[in-house]
Amino acid sequence: MTETYHYAYSTELQRYLEPLEAHQYSINSKLHSKYHFQCGEFCRFKLTLVNFGKEKFIQPPHYRSSTFDQIHEPGCQVVKEHYEARKGTHEVSQLWSRSESKVIVEINLIKGLLAKIKNSESLTNPTNPSEIFSLSNNTTKDLQVEKDKKIVTQHIKSLKKLIKLYLSYLQGEQYQFLDINNQKIDLNSYFIKLGVFKMITPNKIGIYYGQAKVYSYDKIKSPYFHVRFTSPCRTLNLREISPSVNINKEKALHRGVKGKILQLEKLSKSKKPFLLFYFGSFIEKEEQYLNFARKSEEILDYFIFES
C-alpha cells in the first residue's frame, strides 16, 4: 500500500495545505518552490509537490517524499494515520503478501531468486571455453536458461512493490516484516545499501541499491547509456571506485523494457540522481573498473529505479 499524503505543512505559508490548494497557490505565484513542504509542523520529513506550477498535467497534483534517505520524527501524526489507514487492507504478490501492516515475505523464494540470478550470470558470462561449447550445443540447457530468466524477471517485478514497502519502513512507517512462520526477519540481509567506501565483494549476488546517475551518449555510431552509482565503493583490490555500466541502447531494447529506456532518457536530461536497485553482482575489470556483471541485452531486466 503506497503511502498517501492528503496534506502537507507549507514552510512558506506556515500552515497545512491539501495538494490541490497548494497547486493553485503555485499557479498564482503565492508559493515559490515545490520543495518547501514537510510532513507536519513538527515533523521535518521533506515532501515535494508534484506538478508544482504546471497548468497541464496527466497525474493530479500530489505530495511525495523528496528523498528516500530521510526519516519521520518519532510520534509523527501522519505515520500514525497511515498505520490506521492500512487496517482492513490486504495485498498478495508472488514473493510476499501484506495483511494490514504485517508483510509476510517468502524468504526461500527470494533466496531461490538470488540463486537463479547467480546461475544466469554464470551462463551469461561463461569463462571456460568448454562451457561455451556446451551451452551452444545443449538445447535443453538453453531452454532451461530462458525459463529461469523469465521466472527471474517475473519475481523482480513482484519485488518492486516490496521494495517500496521496505523504503517506507526505513523512513519510519510502521511495517513488520515476517517470514511464513510469523518470525521477524531483517531485510537488510538481502538489500545492500551502497554508501561511501562500502566494501563490495566481486561476484557476490545481492540486491544492491543507492543513488545513481545516468548519462546518454547519442552522437556516436552505437548510442549508449552510462549508469553509475554516485557513492564511491571499494574492494580488496580497488579503492574509491563507483560501480558503473555502459548499456548499448539498441541491444538493450526488448519487450518489457521500453518504459525503462524512456525513463532513463528523461533522467539523463534532468541530470538528477535517482534511486537504483540492481539485482546481481559486480566484476572487476582491468584492475581499475567495477562493472555490473550483466550485458546490455538483459541488464534492464535486473534494474528497478525510482526518480
Side-chain angles (χ1 to χ4, degrees):
M1 180 178 180
T2 302
E3 276 63 48
T4 301
Y5 294 90
H6 298 291
Y7 55 86
Y9 186 79
S10 167
T11 56
E12 290 187 45
L13 300 182
Q14 296 187 342
R15 67 183 182 90
Y16 289 94
L17 297 172
E18 294 181 353
L20 291 178
E21 184 182 11
H23 177 259
Q24 189 60 48
Y25 281 147
S26 74
I27 295 294
N28 298 333
S29 299
K30 292 183 179 179
L31 291 174
H32 303 95
S33 174
K34 63 181 179 180
Y35 300 112
H36 290 173
F37 300 92
Q38 59 189 42
C39 178
E41 184 177 1
F42 304 107
C43 180
R44 298 177 183 177
F45 189 91
K46 299 298 182 183
L47 298 175
T48 299
L49 178 62
V50 178
N51 294 320
F52 184 95
K54 296 181 180 179
E55 297 194 27
K56 293 183 179 181
F57 44 80
I58 298 176
Q59 289 186 327
H62 60 279
Y63 295 114
R64 71 177 183 186
S65 172
S66 295
T67 66
F68 84 95
D69 202 6
Q70 57 177 336
I71 302 175
H72 288 276
E73 300 286 345
C76 172
Q77 181 60 33
V78 172
V79 170
K80 293 178 181 178
E81 291 174 4
H82 288 166
Y83 180 83
E84 291 298 319
R86 287 193 290 270
K87 289 185 176 180
T89 65
H90 308 273
E91 290 179 275
V92 178
S93 189
Q94 289 176 307
L95 301 182
W96 59 274
S97 62
R98 180 185 63 79
S99 178
E100 298 185 347
S101 293
K102 291 185 178 181
V103 183
I104 306 298
V105 182
E106 296 277 1
I107 289 297
N108 286 336
L109 290 181
I110 291 181
K111 289 179 178 178
L113 169 64
L114 296 178
K116 282 185 170 61
I117 290 175
K118 181 177 182 179
N119 184 51
S120 64
E121 273 192 2
S122 64
L123 293 171
T124 299
N125 305 294
T127 56
N128 188 328
S130 62
E131 183 182 359
I132 296 174
F133 178 81
S134 174
L135 288 177
S136 63
N137 288 275
N138 192 328
T139 304
T140 302
K141 186 173 287 187
D142 288 343
L143 291 173
Q144 184 61 44
V145 169
E146 290 303 314
K147 182 179 179 181
D148 284 349
K149 283 184 178 180
K150 288 182 180 179
I151 293 174
V152 166
T153 302
Q154 291 171 357
H155 284 184
I156 288 177
K157 288 180 180 179
S158 173
L159 278 179
K160 183 174 182 178
K161 186 60 184 294
L162 179 62
I163 284 171
K164 289 181 179 292
L165 296 177
Y166 174 69
L167 290 177
S168 294
Y169 165 76
L170 292 180
Q171 292 176 337
E173 292 290 343
Q174 297 175 349
Y175 286 106
Q176 279 186 300
F177 293 94
L178 310 168
D179 63 19
I180 58 175
N181 296 315
N182 215 37
Q183 299 297 310
K184 288 185 179 181
I185 56 174
D186 181 12
L187 287 182
N188 290 321
S189 301
Y190 303 93
F191 294 93
I192 304 168
K193 183 179 179 181
L194 297 181
V196 177
F197 305 127
K198 174 73 175 179
M199 175 64 78
I200 291 178
T201 302
N203 302 310
K204 180 182 178 181
I205 298 294
I207 304 173
Y208 297 89
Y209 74 98
Q211 293 279 355
K213 282 191 173 183
V214 58
Y215 305 88
S216 181
Y217 298 93
D218 294 304
K219 297 180 180 179
I220 54 177
K221 185 177 180 180
S222 299
Y224 68 96
F225 293 114
H226 177 76
V227 178
R228 175 183 293 271
F229 279 109
T230 58
S231 295
C233 302
R234 59 194 177 98
T235 69
L236 290 176
N237 300 317
L238 300 172
R239 292 185 177 181
E240 296 188 37
I241 183 71
S242 296
S244 64
V245 64
N246 291 335
I247 305 173
N248 183 295
K249 294 185 179 182
E250 183 178 351
K251 292 181 178 179
L253 183 59
H254 62 271
R255 184 178 179 182
V257 301
K258 185 177 180 180
K260 290 183 179 181
I261 290 177
L262 293 175
Q263 194 171 355
L264 285 175
E265 292 284 10
K266 183 178 179 180
L267 288 168
S268 70
K269 292 176 182 178
S270 73
K271 298 181 181 180
K272 294 180 180 179
F274 60 97
L275 182 60
L276 173 65
F277 281 79
Y278 164 59
F279 296 72
S281 67
F282 301 103
I283 54 176
E284 294 176 327
K285 288 283 186 72
E286 301 174 10
E287 297 183 350
Q288 58 179 328
Y289 301 110
L290 189 62
N291 293 151
F292 294 58
R294 284 288 167 189
K295 293 183 178 180
S296 295
E297 292 87 343
E298 60 183 357
I299 191 167
L300 292 182
D301 291 328
Y302 297 84
F303 274 7
I304 290 178
F305 42 84
E306 300 287 334
S307 57

Coordinates of all heavy atoms in Angstrom, one line a residue, residues 243-285:
P243 N 30.7 1.8 -8.9 CA 30.2 0.7 -9.8 C 29.5 1.4 -11.0 O 28.7 2.3 -10.8 CB 29.2 -0.1 -9.0 CG 29.7 0.1 -7.6 CD 30.1 1.5 -7.5
S244 N 29.7 0.9 -12.2 CA 29.2 1.5 -13.4 C 28.9 0.5 -14.5 O 29.5 -0.6 -14.4 CB 30.1 2.7 -13.9 OG 31.3 2.1 -14.3
V245 N 28.2 0.9 -15.5 CA 27.9 0.0 -16.7 C 27.6 0.9 -17.9 O 26.9 1.9 -17.7 CB 26.8 -1.0 -16.4 CG1 25.5 -0.3 -16.1 CG2 26.7 -2.0 -17.5
N246 N 28.0 0.5 -19.0 CA 27.6 1.1 -20.3 C 26.5 0.2 -20.9 O 26.8 -1.0 -21.0 CB 28.8 1.2 -21.3 CG 29.8 2.3 -20.8 OD1 29.4 3.2 -20.0 ND2 31.0 2.2 -21.2
I247 N 25.4 0.8 -21.3 CA 24.3 0.0 -21.9 C 24.0 0.4 -23.3 O 23.6 1.5 -23.5 CB 23.0 0.2 -21.0 CG1 23.3 -0.2 -19.5 CG2 21.9 -0.7 -21.6 CD1 22.1 0.2 -18.6
N248 N 24.3 -0.5 -24.2 CA 24.1 -0.2 -25.6 C 22.5 -0.1 -25.8 O 21.8 -1.0 -25.5 CB 24.6 -1.4 -26.5 CG 24.4 -1.1 -28.0 OD1 23.3 -1.1 -28.5 ND2 25.5 -1.0 -28.7
K249 N 22.1 1.0 -26.3 CA 20.6 1.3 -26.4 C 19.9 0.3 -27.4 O 18.8 -0.1 -27.1 CB 20.4 2.7 -26.8 CG 20.8 3.8 -25.8 CD 20.4 5.2 -26.2 CE 20.8 6.2 -25.2 NZ 20.4 7.6 -25.6
E250 N 20.5 0.1 -28.5 CA 19.9 -0.8 -29.5 C 19.8 -2.3 -28.9 O 18.8 -2.9 -29.1 CB 20.7 -0.8 -30.8 CG 20.1 -1.6 -31.9 CD 20.8 -1.6 -33.2 OE1 21.8 -0.7 -33.3 OE2 20.5 -2.3 -34.1
K251 N 20.9 -2.7 -28.3 CA 20.9 -4.1 -27.8 C 20.0 -4.2 -26.6 O 19.4 -5.3 -26.3 CB 22.3 -4.5 -27.4 CG 23.2 -4.7 -28.6 CD 24.6 -5.1 -28.2 CE 25.6 -5.3 -29.4 NZ 26.9 -5.7 -28.9
A252 N 19.8 -3.2 -25.8 CA 19.0 -3.2 -24.6 C 17.5 -3.3 -24.9 O 16.7 -3.8 -24.0 CB 19.3 -2.0 -23.7
L253 N 17.1 -2.8 -26.0 CA 15.7 -2.7 -26.3 C 15.1 -4.1 -26.6 O 15.4 -4.8 -27.5 CB 15.4 -1.8 -27.5 CG 14.0 -1.5 -27.9 CD1 13.2 -0.9 -26.7 CD2 13.9 -0.7 -29.1
H254 N 14.1 -4.5 -25.8 CA 13.4 -5.7 -26.0 C 12.0 -5.6 -25.2 O 11.8 -4.6 -24.5 CB 14.1 -7.0 -25.6 CG 14.5 -7.0 -24.1 ND1 15.6 -6.5 -23.6 CD2 13.8 -7.5 -23.0 CE1 15.7 -6.7 -22.3 NE2 14.6 -7.3 -21.9
R255 N 11.2 -6.6 -25.4 CA 9.9 -6.5 -24.8 C 9.9 -6.3 -23.3 O 10.6 -7.0 -22.6 CB 9.1 -7.8 -25.1 CG 7.7 -7.8 -24.6 CD 7.0 -9.1 -25.0 NE 5.6 -9.1 -24.5 CZ 4.7 -10.1 -24.7 NH1 5.2 -11.2 -25.4 NH2 3.5 -10.0 -24.3
G256 N 9.2 -5.3 -22.8 CA 9.1 -5.1 -21.4 C 10.0 -4.0 -20.8 O 9.8 -3.7 -19.6
V257 N 10.9 -3.5 -21.6 CA 11.8 -2.5 -21.0 C 11.7 -1.1 -21.7 O 12.5 -0.2 -21.3 CB 13.3 -3.0 -21.1 CG1 13.5 -4.3 -20.3 CG2 13.8 -3.2 -22.5
K258 N 10.8 -1.0 -22.6 CA 10.7 0.3 -23.3 C 10.5 1.5 -22.4 O 11.1 2.5 -22.5 CB 9.6 0.3 -24.4 CG 9.5 1.6 -25.2 CD 8.4 1.4 -26.3 CE 8.4 2.7 -27.1 NZ 7.3 2.6 -28.2
G259 N 9.6 1.2 -21.4 CA 9.3 2.2 -20.4 C 10.6 2.6 -19.6 O 10.8 3.8 -19.2
K260 N 11.4 1.6 -19.3 CA 12.6 1.9 -18.5 C 13.6 2.7 -19.4 O 14.3 3.6 -18.8 CB 13.3 0.6 -18.1 CG 12.6 -0.2 -17.0 CD 13.3 -1.4 -16.6 CE 12.6 -2.2 -15.5 NZ 13.3 -3.4 -15.0
I261 N 13.7 2.4 -20.6 CA 14.6 3.2 -21.5 C 14.1 4.7 -21.6 O 14.9 5.6 -21.5 CB 14.6 2.6 -22.9 CG1 15.4 1.2 -22.9 CG2 15.3 3.5 -23.9 CD1 15.4 0.5 -24.2
L262 N 12.8 4.9 -21.8 CA 12.3 6.2 -21.8 C 12.5 7.0 -20.5 O 12.9 8.2 -20.5 CB 10.8 6.2 -22.1 CG 10.3 5.7 -23.5 CD1 8.8 5.6 -23.6 CD2 10.9 6.6 -24.6
Q263 N 12.4 6.3 -19.4 CA 12.7 6.9 -18.1 C 14.2 7.2 -17.9 O 14.5 8.3 -17.4 CB 12.2 6.0 -17.0 CG 12.2 6.7 -15.6 CD 11.5 5.8 -14.5 OE1 11.0 4.7 -14.8 NE2 11.5 6.3 -13.3
L264 N 15.1 6.4 -18.4 CA 16.5 6.7 -18.4 C 16.8 7.9 -19.2 O 17.7 8.7 -18.9 CB 17.3 5.5 -18.8 CG 17.4 4.3 -17.8 CD1 18.1 3.1 -18.5 CD2 18.1 4.7 -16.6
E265 N 16.2 8.0 -20.4 CA 16.4 9.2 -21.2 C 16.0 10.5 -20.5 O 16.7 11.5 -20.5 CB 15.6 9.1 -22.5 CG 16.0 8.0 -23.5 CD 17.3 8.3 -24.3 OE1 17.9 9.4 -23.9 OE2 17.6 7.6 -25.2
K266 N 14.8 10.4 -19.8 CA 14.3 11.5 -19.1 C 15.3 11.9 -17.9 O 15.6 13.1 -17.7 CB 12.9 11.2 -18.5 CG 12.3 12.4 -17.8 CD 10.9 12.0 -17.3 CE 10.2 13.1 -16.6 NZ 8.8 12.8 -16.1
L267 N 15.8 10.9 -17.2 CA 16.7 11.1 -16.1 C 18.0 11.7 -16.6 O 18.6 12.5 -15.9 CB 16.9 9.8 -15.3 CG 15.7 9.3 -14.5 CD1 16.0 7.9 -14.0 CD2 15.5 10.2 -13.3
S268 N 18.5 11.2 -17.8 CA 19.7 11.7 -18.3 C 19.6 13.2 -18.6 O 20.6 14.0 -18.5 CB 20.2 10.9 -19.5 OG 19.3 11.2 -20.6
K269 N 18.4 13.6 -19.1 CA 18.2 15.1 -19.4 C 18.1 15.9 -18.2 O 18.6 17.0 -18.1 CB 17.0 15.2 -20.3 CG 17.1 14.6 -21.7 CD 15.8 14.7 -22.5 CE 16.0 14.1 -23.8 NZ 14.7 14.1 -24.6
S270 N 17.5 15.4 -17.1 CA 17.4 16.1 -15.9 C 18.7 16.2 -15.1 O 18.9 17.2 -14.3 CB 16.3 15.5 -15.0 OG 16.8 14.3 -14.4
K271 N 19.6 15.3 -15.3 CA 20.9 15.2 -14.7 C 20.8 15.1 -13.2 O 21.7 15.4 -12.4 CB 21.7 16.5 -15.0 CG 22.0 16.6 -16.5 CD 22.9 17.8 -16.8 CE 23.1 17.9 -18.3 NZ 24.0 19.1 -18.6
K272 N 19.6 14.6 -12.7 CA 19.4 14.5 -11.3 C 19.7 13.0 -10.9 O 19.4 12.1 -11.6 CB 18.0 14.8 -10.9 CG 17.6 16.3 -11.1 CD 16.2 16.6 -10.7 CE 15.8 18.1 -10.9 NZ 14.4 18.4 -10.6
P273 N 20.1 12.8 -9.6 CA 20.3 11.4 -9.2 C 19.0 10.7 -8.9 O 18.0 11.4 -8.7 CB 21.1 11.6 -7.9 CG 20.8 13.0 -7.4 CD 20.6 13.8 -8.6
F274 N 19.0 9.4 -9.0 CA 17.8 8.7 -8.8 C 18.2 7.4 -8.0 O 19.4 7.1 -7.8 CB 17.1 8.3 -10.1 CG 18.0 7.4 -11.0 CD1 17.9 6.0 -11.0 CD2 18.9 8.0 -11.8 CE1 18.7 5.3 -11.9 CE2 19.7 7.3 -12.7 CZ 19.6 5.9 -12.7
L275 N 17.2 6.8 -7.4 CA 17.4 5.6 -6.6 C 17.4 4.4 -7.5 O 16.3 4.1 -8.1 CB 16.3 5.5 -5.5 CG 16.5 4.3 -4.5 CD1 17.8 4.4 -3.8 CD2 15.3 4.3 -3.5
L276 N 18.5 3.6 -7.5 CA 18.6 2.4 -8.3 C 18.7 1.2 -7.5 O 19.6 1.1 -6.6 CB 19.8 2.6 -9.3 CG 20.2 1.3 -10.1 CD1 19.1 1.0 -11.1 CD2 21.5 1.6 -10.8
F277 N 17.9 0.2 -7.8 CA 18.1 -1.2 -7.3 C 18.6 -2.1 -8.4 O 18.1 -2.1 -9.5 CB 16.8 -1.7 -6.8 CG 16.3 -1.2 -5.4 CD1 15.8 0.1 -5.3 CD2 16.5 -1.9 -4.3 CE1 15.4 0.6 -4.1 CE2 16.2 -1.4 -3.0 CZ 15.6 -0.2 -2.9
Y278 N 19.7 -2.8 -8.1 CA 20.3 -3.7 -9.1 C 20.4 -5.1 -8.5 O 20.9 -5.3 -7.4 CB 21.7 -3.2 -9.4 CG 22.5 -4.2 -10.1 CD1 22.1 -4.8 -11.3 CD2 23.8 -4.6 -9.6 CE1 22.9 -5.7 -12.0 CE2 24.6 -5.5 -10.2 CZ 24.2 -6.1 -11.4 OH 24.9 -7.0 -12.1
F279 N 19.8 -6.1 -9.2 CA 19.8 -7.5 -8.8 C 20.9 -8.2 -9.5 O 20.9 -8.4 -10.7 CB 18.5 -8.1 -9.2 CG 17.3 -7.6 -8.5 CD1 16.8 -6.3 -8.8 CD2 16.7 -8.3 -7.5 CE1 15.7 -5.8 -8.1 CE2 15.6 -7.7 -6.8 CZ 15.1 -6.5 -7.1
G280 N 22.0 -8.5 -8.8 CA 23.1 -9.2 -9.5 C 24.4 -9.0 -8.7 O 24.4 -8.9 -7.5
S281 N 25.5 -8.9 -9.4 CA 26.8 -8.8 -8.8 C 27.7 -7.8 -9.6 O 27.2 -7.3 -10.6 CB 27.5 -10.1 -8.6 OG 27.9 -10.6 -9.9
F282 N 28.9 -7.6 -9.1 CA 29.8 -6.7 -9.8 C 31.1 -7.5 -10.1 O 31.4 -8.4 -9.4 CB 30.2 -5.5 -8.9 CG 29.0 -4.7 -8.6 CD1 28.4 -4.8 -7.3 CD2 28.4 -3.8 -9.5 CE1 27.4 -4.0 -6.9 CE2 27.3 -3.0 -9.1 CZ 26.8 -3.1 -7.8
I283 N 31.8 -7.1 -11.2 CA 33.0 -7.7 -11.5 C 34.1 -6.6 -11.7 O 33.8 -5.5 -12.2 CB 32.9 -8.5 -12.8 CG1 32.3 -7.7 -14.0 CG2 32.1 -9.7 -12.6 CD1 32.3 -8.4 -15.3
E284 N 35.3 -6.9 -11.4 CA 36.5 -6.0 -11.6 C 37.0 -6.2 -13.0 O 37.1 -7.3 -13.5 CB 37.6 -6.3 -10.6 CG 37.2 -6.1 -9.1 CD 38.3 -6.5 -8.2 OE1 39.0 -7.4 -8.5 OE2 38.4 -5.8 -7.1
K285 N 37.3 -5.0 -13.6 CA 37.8 -5.0 -15.0 C 39.1 -4.2 -15.1 O 39.2 -3.1 -14.6 CB 36.8 -4.4 -16.0 CG 35.5 -5.2 -16.2 CD 35.9 -6.4 -17.2 CE 34.6 -7.1 -17.6 NZ 33.7 -6.4 -18.5

